[in-house]
Amino acid sequence: MKVATLLPAAIAAFLFTSCGSDEASKETSNAKAYPLDVCIVSGEKLGSMGAPPSLVHEGQTIKFCCDHCIPDFQEEPAKFLAKLDKPAEPVAPSEPAEEKPAETAN
């Protein structure tokens, strides 16, 4: 009798879980790629603390250096999303150091 009661409950749980994950995977697959190589919150290089966690916010994939940055983003997403709108600042090429003439011994 217990098996007859548990089986329908297990099937229902599986069906509800499957439906939710399909929508989540669709949202993730249609999301825009994350354009930065640093955490949107801390500025740390992605991967510097292990595999970077990510989430999809309004169709945009957002990546973080660690799980601790996610609540900060969720508290003020507009503040951090503004970083995606700014063009990357060009890095000035480093100039070669001036060579000093070799001193000659007399």
Side-chain angles (χ1 to χ4, degrees), residues 18-34:
S18 296
C19 291
S21 64
D22 285 345
E23 287 190 26
S25 64
K26 285 180 188 175
E27 183 178 325
T28 303
S29 65
N30 292 332
K32 291 187 244 174
Y34 185 70

Side-chain angles (χ1 to χ4, degrees), residues 13-98:
F14 174 75
L15 292 174
F16 286 123
T17 304
S18 296
C19 291
S21 64
D22 285 345
E23 287 190 26
S25 64
K26 285 180 188 175
E27 183 178 325
T28 303
S29 65
N30 292 332
K32 291 187 244 174
Y34 185 70
L36 306 176
D37 61 349
V38 296
C39 174
I40 197 165
V41 174
S42 70
E44 294 287 328
K45 181 141 181 80
L46 294 177
S48 64
M49 298 181 198
S54 65
L55 60 81
V56 176
H57 178 80
E58 297 179 357
Q60 172 67 59
T61 301
I62 306 296
K63 293 188 179 183
F64 306 92
C65 62
C66 64
D67 290 327
H68 294 93
C69 288
I70 295 173
D72 291 340
F73 172 80
Q74 290 173 327
E75 191 173 301
E76 297 181 272
K79 171 184 172 182
F80 298 108
L81 289 171
K83 294 179 181 182
L84 298 179
D85 296 332
K86 291 181 183 178
E89 295 180 16
V91 178
S94 58
E95 295 182 24
E98 289 184 31

